[in-house]
Amino acid sequence: MKAKLFYVLACLLFSMQAMAQIKISGKVTSAADGTAIPNTTVAVKGTSTGTIANVDGVYTVTVPNQNAVLVFSFTGFGSKEVVVGNQTTINVSLEVQVNTLNDLVVIGYGSVKKSDLTGAVSSLKAERIMDAPVPNISQALQGKIAGVDVNINSSAPGQAAKVRIRGIGSINSFVDPLYVVDGVAGVDGNAINPNDIASIEVLKDASSTAIYGARGANGVIMITTKRGRSGPTQVSYQGDVNVSTLARHLRTLNSDEFVKVYNEAFANATKFDPDHGTWTPTAILDHAHYPLLFDENNKPLYNTNWEKETYKPAVSTSHQLNFQGGTDKLLYSASLGYLDQNGLMINSWFRRYSARATFDDQVKDWLKIGGSLNIVSSTQRLVSDGNGSLNVPRMVTEEVPIVPVRYPDGTWAGNYDIAGLEGGPNPVQIAQNRYTLNNQMHTLGNFYMQFRITKDLEFKTDFGYDQISNKANFYSAGNLPHLSQDQGGVARITNDYNKYWQSENYLTYNKTFKNNNTLNAIAGISFLEYNAQNNLSETQNFLSDYFQWNYQAAGSVRANITSQTQPWSMNSYYARVNYSIKGKYLFTATGRYDGSSKFSKDNQFAFFPSVAAAWRVSEEDFLKNSKTINNLKIRASYGTSGNQEIGLFQSLAQLRPDQVVLNGANQPTLIPGYVGNPDLKWERSNQIDAGLELVMVDNRINLNVDYYNRKTSDLLLAAPIPWSAGMYTPNVYKNVGEVRNTGLEVNLSTINIQKPNFTWSTTFVFATNKNRILTLNDGNADIFPGPNFLGQTNILRVGEPIGSFYGMNRLGTYSTDEAAEAAKHSLLPGDRKYEYDANGNAVYGIIGRAYPKWTGTFSSTFKLKGWDFTFDIRFVQGVNTAAAFKHSTEDRQTLANSLATVLNAWTPENQNTHIAQVRSYKFTQDSHFDTWWVEDGSYIRGQNFTLGYSFPESWLERSHITKFRIYASVQNLFLITKYTGYDPEVDTFNFGYGTNTGFSQNIDFFPYPRPRVWNLGVNVSF
């Protein structure tokens, strides 16, 4: 009887509870445009009950009673609470949340709320990263973050840009920033598909970079890739197709002009010949001597425009497919990407295939595991190699217009068909028969385990692995005069295999105290090892071009065989403490103790500390309730970071293998290679940073200002030693010299208009940098680091910036009235006129700077219902570019074609000019790196313009599509500059990615021109 009664009571209670529960359903939309907000979290306040809205924003949840409160929240929108009451259907509109103070910002070994940052950290989200079609992350960064200077020096498909953070702080060491991808440090960030990136944080001051110690002096770029998300699997597709066209033209002489200048040059030779002899071409340009090139009236048969023949409109496409989903415990994502980028230069292209997968699994309440695997396979066909040689860009300018691409019988034509000309093949022939295929496979992955030891203490161990193998296949055909014809063809294979692993193990302690103070602390230990192996083999003299590099044994001459292994390792200990007093007063202390195998035992370890503090003034009582100021924070930091990026074993004396001839045969031997320096130690950068963060007027005005002062000492400088020392390497690394970088960074974002159907926002990014060499060697003597081009081009001088151009001052040309003055220097009227001192010696000095005084980008976005329009305009001011190509295109008539500027050369009727009188090359005046070449390289560029349209939800509700956006964009729409070359942003002497090319920046000797890119794209989510 008791059992039956208990059963009846239990059923009654259960039925009453079921009757009390209420089923609620509805839809979550954006208050701005009414579109659905997928994957919104719907929670019952005060309980663990909740759900996730589907991709259409629709949800269903059960609440215990009418007094329940539903909390709706989604990243980027303000949360909203609704009391259930008598409702069973609750539709909610969430306001777009402009305030980003609670956004998490990724820093080394963790993340913090933006409001709690004490260091100079800039953040960039996915939508801003890929607002233009670019092949790598370095190009995507240009103009978007103050203090991050990005130079897109080559537009060859697949080429990375040069990134410098807060100036150049080293001379012979690397100056590239450290890339950290999902916690794996020191990897090639440009190998990552930029479509896989969720956010980028740039750590700029010592407070934020000191956690990476010996590798943080040049700044740190933190890359966080896309991960899974709770809710049904979301599928998204992004695709675009674009056309690249030549944006600017470099006009050269046409056929009639070339013949005219050519004949004048020989006629003028008599004047400049000391013996005043009569000079004529080896073969006169007429029908009798060149029947294939001139008609019977001696008029040229061809007027070839080599720009049009070589730089043609190129169509490129990219496709990206993403999958994201998960449950409350297991999150997963996957992506597939394909890029087919074709370059302006014929036969140049880049193909990339990428695949990526991630998972994060809350296995137990106390254990979480996860990882990612990223595989990228790419092939690049590079045809613009060989700076200074007869490569494709140079021959576009120097190939004479009177020859065709091919003769009617199909044979190639070129300058070599005309007696006396510099016999370069035409650029189309070179592009087809001389190239490098760079085949790269990049595997990047990591696996982590995270243990919750107590409520406040966690331990994480993370193993990262990065492997890059690159096989560069080069072939230059046997039919290319002055390139590889004499060698009978050249085949070269270079294999690079780089393997890197790291193990990070650290504790994280988070504690909130009763007085509302918070503590965050980490302490860890790191191990890493890097091993680079490479080998090269070169063969020449092939019977046929058929085999190329596919079968090197077909070449009869073994020209070059080399190989080497380069291992190094590090062991590090690090700690950081963040302490917040009531959210008002913030303090950070960081320290890292690094040891590197690159230095001797006595100098292997070094300590890199930093401290920072911030005051959130807006949290004080006198501002807390302000309707105008939403956030005001003042921060300052000081600290030290390091640089160890030099070659291996520079502290050790080295021998080097070589060969000698004994008894008529080659014999192996060892010779002194490098003297070594056991006292070698780290470069150290001490940096002060002061910052202001201000948010005003309902979060519609956001201002960030930073001032920094960075002094780098103990520079790793390759100091020259006498040749008499007998070393193969005529220098030795020493710690000498100091460099200072100071600057101001401003980032201003405003929401000018915010209406339900219309918004207008703007962003202005501004940065200055003043670079100054403080000391060099013991006597502070000038150093000429190269690259050399007809003499010195750059100088390192105390008191001057790195990147200073060095040369002569061209005053113009000597007039007939200045014949006597010209004669003092063995010159004649019509010769170039330079500045001389009282002793009659040419005056050399600093004639320009390769890095700008200030840069800025102005961006503006308009949104009207489903339409959006964005434009970015970039400003670069106070910089010079050296048009070194003028040497061979203005100063060498009768050898090749010239720029059309030689039509303004000196004549008796035109004496007010900087261009010397044309004459046979036999009597040409020596060219010098001078002020006529070093031009104003400042510019204003229409960087990116985008117009897009998102279809309204009502059009898509019958399908499974949650988002459908189409857009059109154009990059490099216009360029306003005084520079006369293709583009003032250039570097044709960059011999290796990752090396300090601070001395080659903005030296232009026939670059790959920058295109204008017209793009159509689509974004679709399911």
Side-chain angles (χ1 to χ4, degrees), residues 867-896:
W867 292 93
D868 61 88
F869 174 67
T870 299
F871 67 83
D872 303 316
I873 299 177
R874 179 165 167 77
F875 306 82
V876 174
Q877 300 295 312
V879 66
N880 299 100
T881 302
F885 60 85
K886 288 182 177 180
H887 157 65
S888 60
T889 55
E890 285 186 347
D891 300 347
R892 304 190 321 142
Q893 295 85 35
T894 73
L895 279 185

Side-chain angles (χ1 to χ4, degrees), residues 20-182:
Q21 289 182 334
I22 304 170
K23 186 175 182 180
I24 306 295
S25 61
K27 187 173 185 177
V28 186
T29 58
S30 169
D33 54 17
T35 59
I37 305 178
N39 304 319
T40 300
T41 299
V42 184
V44 181
K45 189 175 183 178
T47 73
S48 59
T49 303
T51 187
I52 302 293
N54 65 17
V55 292
D56 298 318
V58 175
Y59 73 93
T60 300
V61 65
T62 300
V63 300
N65 52 56
Q66 294 180 343
N67 296 323
V69 178
L70 291 180
V71 181
F72 300 83
S73 60
F74 187 76
T75 303
F77 292 82
S79 61
K80 178 176 286 189
E81 296 184 4
V82 179
V83 179
V84 171
N86 295 323
Q87 306 174 86
T88 56
T89 300
I90 300 177
N91 296 319
V92 173
S93 294
L94 300 183
E95 297 286 345
V96 176
Q97 180 62 274
V98 179
N99 185 6
T100 60
L101 294 178
N102 292 321
D103 286 356
L104 290 179
V105 177
V106 176
I107 57 176
Y109 306 101
S111 59
V112 298
K113 288 194 300 183
K114 186 176 181 181
S115 59
D116 292 340
L117 273 175
T118 57
V121 180
S122 296
S123 185
L124 199 63
K125 300 304 180 184
E127 57 269 18
R128 282 291 289 156
I129 296 171
M130 287 305 296
D131 59 359
V134 291
N136 49 59
I137 192 59
S138 59
Q139 292 191 21
L141 284 173
Q142 188 173 53
K144 293 174 181 173
I145 296 178
V148 179
D149 193 22
V150 179
N151 296 112
I152 303 176
N153 294 316
S154 173
S155 293
Q159 290 294 93
K162 185 190 294 183
V163 180
R164 302 290 180 257
I165 297 176
R166 291 188 167 181
I168 295 178
S170 184
I171 291 178
N172 285 125
S173 188
F174 286 11
V175 290
D176 291 327
L178 176 72
Y179 287 89
V180 182
V181 180
D182 290 336

Side-chain angles (χ1 to χ4, degrees), residues 950-971:
S950 299
F951 289 89
E953 181 187 354
S954 58
W955 293 20
L956 306 174
E957 60 185 7
R958 293 186 178 181
S959 66
H960 295 288
I961 299 175
T962 57
K963 177 183 178 181
F964 194 103
R965 179 177 180 265
I966 58 174
Y967 60 93
S969 66
V970 56
Q971 288 73 52

Side-chain angles (χ1 to χ4, degrees), residues 997-1010:
T997 53
F999 315 121
S1000 61
Q1001 182 62 45
N1002 279 24
I1003 298 182
D1004 181 353
F1005 194 63
F1006 303 106
Y1008 195 121
R1010 189 165 182 168

Side-chain angles (χ1 to χ4, degrees), residues 165-175 204 206 209 213-214 216-219 608 638-646 681-688 708-717 734-742 769-776 802 996:
I165 297 176
R166 291 188 167 181
I168 295 178
S170 184
I171 291 178
N172 285 125
S173 188
F174 286 11
V175 290
K204 296 184 286 188
T209 62
N218 299 314
F608 301 96
Y638 175 77
T640 303
S641 50
N643 193 348
Q644 59 134 24
E645 301 303 327
I646 57 172
K681 58 185 179 181
W682 319 78
E683 287 185 354
R684 301 180 71 88
S685 289
N686 298 309
Q687 184 172 183
I688 298 172
Y708 64 89
N709 187 320
R710 176 164 62 116
K711 179 182 176 182
T712 305
S713 56
D714 294 327
L715 295 180
L716 293 165
L717 179 67
K734 294 182 178 180
N735 291 104
V736 293
E738 295 177 328
V739 172
R740 186 186 302 279
N741 283 276
T742 57
N769 177 261
K770 182 179 181 180
N771 179 279
R772 184 165 168 257
I773 299 172
L774 303 179
T775 61
L776 283 173
I802 294 175
N996 184 351

Side-chain angles (χ1 to χ4, degrees), residues 618-668:
S618 54
E619 291 300 301
E620 298 290 353
D621 292 340
F622 61 85
L623 270 183
K624 196 167 187 178
N625 298 318
S626 172
K627 295 181 179 180
T628 302
I629 297 177
N630 306 112
N631 180 58
L632 173 60
K633 181 166 67 175
I634 301 171
R635 50 181 170 75
S637 68
Y638 175 77
T640 303
S641 50
N643 193 348
Q644 59 134 24
E645 301 303 327
I646 57 172
L648 302 185
F649 316 121
Q650 299 299 312
S651 63
L652 302 176
Q654 301 172 27
L655 296 174
R656 132 178 217 104
D658 207 336
Q659 290 185 344
V660 296
V661 179
L662 292 176
N663 299 323
N666 288 336
Q667 300 293 334

